[in-house]
Amino acid sequence: MTPMIAVAGLWKVFGPRAERVPGSPLADLSRAELRARTGCLVAVRDVSFDVRPGEIFVVMGLSGSGKSTLVRCLTRLIEPTSGEVGIGGEPVRAMSPKRLRELRRRQVAMVFQHFGLLPHRTVLDNVAYGLEIQGVPRPARHRKAADTLALVGLEGHEQQYPDQLSGGMQQRVGLARALAADPEVLLFDEPFSALDPLIRRDMQAEVRRLHAEVGKTLVFITHDLSEALTLGDRIAVLRDGELVQVGTPEELVGAPADSYVADFVRDVPRSDVLTLRWIVRDPAPGELCEDEPLSHRTVIRDAIHRVLRADRPIPVVDGPRRLGVVDADQLLPVLVSHHRQVPA
């Protein structure tokens, strides 16, 4: 499958003569050493990954890890120092200014933490703004904006102004504005971090719902592991501008690449994320396993009652193929390991 976004060897270095760093011995220096020697700061260091069409790809890291710089490099809001970025198979760094404007207007939309709504325009005109820039006639853009507002649950608020809405509703307007232009890709830069926890959870569910309905490719930036696990089909973990691990939520929790990732996920209830494929075992000779099987994609949490009540191992299958069995001896270490991690 051709990736929707392809990033290869991407660097962003801030400072004097930044272009000398990638590919030179300076590239091997730590961030602190490089800054002390050259005055340059590496924000993104030799990052490569692909984003599949229709995927929610989450980039996660602590403050200062380079994740916001990375997402801005994708459309050259920040100019990369070195490396390649492709969107829809087209090299972004080779685009002319005119083609780059078209990319930002039609193919890729961004949703920021700060909503950036125009206070003197109604909600309807805020959502229609991108279409206005594209030259869409007023009646057509208003119809599209109204349809998009209904999609995000704001039908009936078209003639209100941004300051008349709650923070969560304003973020929905920002989301509707991005969706109205019908882009192929949506880039989210910590859009919900300023919202109250309950509203934030609602907005996460809204993104998941909209993704299921409209099927766009999403790149979502966050520092919040819970948000990453909730939203991400795959998650990329950044540390000091470097890519540490890319994987599904299950892969990050079940097989962290190093102690940095392990520390990130140590308080995650493993039984809420891992599936039975992580704990399946071969049946012992003569072991009867004729019960109704469970799919290997079943989350361990959802299998607990069935497995613990059974008087024999439960078969685990991948379609017609039998992978093995699972019983209480496989479940209990997963449950106990989390119990030990959580403070009393």
Side-chain angles (χ1 to χ4, degrees):
M1 181 182 293
T2 302
M4 178 59 72
I5 300 173
V7 177
L10 189 68
W11 286 77
K12 179 57 191 177
V13 184
F14 294 100
R17 296 177 57 203
E19 69 283 352
R20 66 184 160 150
V21 175
S24 77
L26 294 171
D28 296 327
L29 298 178
S30 70
R31 184 182 266 189
E33 290 172 329
L34 181 69
R35 191 165 193 177
R37 185 178 298 189
T38 68
C40 291
L41 173 68
V42 176
V44 178
R45 181 189 292 268
D46 196 20
V47 168
S48 300
F49 61 86
D50 290 341
V51 181
R52 302 160 186 158
E55 181 177 28
I56 300 182
F57 187 87
V58 174
V59 181
M60 185 187 74
L62 300 176
S63 179
S65 62
K67 54 191 184 298
S68 291
T69 300
L70 172 61
V71 76
R72 284 165 170 76
C73 284
L74 298 182
T75 57
R76 289 171 57 193
L77 291 175
I78 292 177
E79 193 69 39
T81 304
S82 179
E84 301 298 330
V85 177
I87 296 181
E90 188 175 0
V92 174
R93 296 195 69 202
M95 290 180 178
S96 67
K98 179 180 179 181
R99 177 67 190 98
L100 193 57
R101 286 194 297 272
E102 286 296 302
L103 176 82
R104 294 170 183 167
R105 288 176 180 176
R106 300 181 184 275
Q107 288 177 256
V108 181
M110 285 200 72
V111 181
F112 296 97
Q113 175 182 343
H114 303 291
F115 318 127
L117 303 180
L118 302 170
H120 62 289
R121 286 180 172 239
T122 65
V123 165
L124 187 69
D125 281 327
N126 265 283
V127 174
Y129 182 70
L131 298 171
E132 181 180 344
I133 296 298
Q134 292 180 15
V136 177
R138 181 184 177 92
R141 68 177 184 256
H142 275 186
R143 282 195 300 272
K144 179 64 174 177
D147 290 344
T148 311
L149 282 167
L151 186 66
V152 301
L154 287 178
E155 190 172 15
H157 296 276
E158 293 85 353
Q159 299 309 314
Q160 290 185 277
Y161 287 85
D163 64 358
Q164 296 174 306
L165 304 179
S166 68
M169 293 172 75
Q170 289 183 42
Q171 191 58 282
R172 286 174 187 263
V173 175
L175 181 56
R177 181 178 56 191
L179 286 169
D182 197 25
E184 296 174 353
V185 177
L186 286 164
L187 307 178
F188 292 80
D189 188 10
E190 302 208 53
F192 309 144
S193 59
L195 301 178
D196 293 336
L198 291 178
I199 299 174
R200 184 171 186 162
R201 191 160 60 235
D202 288 345
M203 288 302 300
Q204 291 165 3
E206 184 72 6
V207 166
R208 265 295 186 190
R209 181 186 70 80
L210 288 170
H211 181 257
E213 289 192 22
V214 301
K216 304 295 183 184
T217 303
L218 275 58
V219 177
F220 197 100
I221 305 299
T222 184
H223 65 270
D224 186 297
L225 176 63
S226 175
E227 187 164 72
L229 295 174
T230 297
L231 292 175
D233 295 319
R234 287 189 302 148
I235 300 168
V237 181
L238 285 184
R239 175 182 57 200
D240 293 338
E242 293 187 71
L243 192 60
V244 179
Q245 184 172 0
V246 178
T248 64
E250 188 177 6
E251 288 166 344
L252 262 64
V253 172
D258 62 11
S259 59
Y260 181 76
V261 181
D263 193 50
F264 250 120
V265 302
R266 66 185 176 87
D267 291 332
V268 175
R270 292 164 60 85
S271 62
D272 289 356
V273 178
L274 300 184
T275 57
L276 293 181
R277 72 184 183 91
W278 288 87
I279 60 172
V280 66
R281 66 168 174 83
D282 293 331
E287 198 167 37
L288 295 176
C289 310
E290 301 304 324
D291 293 57
E292 182 71 21
L294 289 166
S295 167
H296 72 111
R297 294 192 179 93
T298 304
V299 176
I300 290 173
R301 173 198 60 214
D302 297 334
I304 290 173
H305 293 299
R306 167 96 187 271
V307 173
L308 293 184
R309 289 173 180 171
D311 57 4
R312 56 189 176 185
I314 303 292
V316 177
V317 297
D318 178 3
R321 185 166 64 99
R322 182 169 292 196
L323 301 182
V325 298
V326 64
D327 59 19
D329 288 341
Q330 278 72 55
L331 286 183
L332 292 177
V334 176
L335 302 178
V336 171
S337 67
H338 176 64
H339 178 73
R340 288 174 177 166
Q341 291 167 1
V342 178

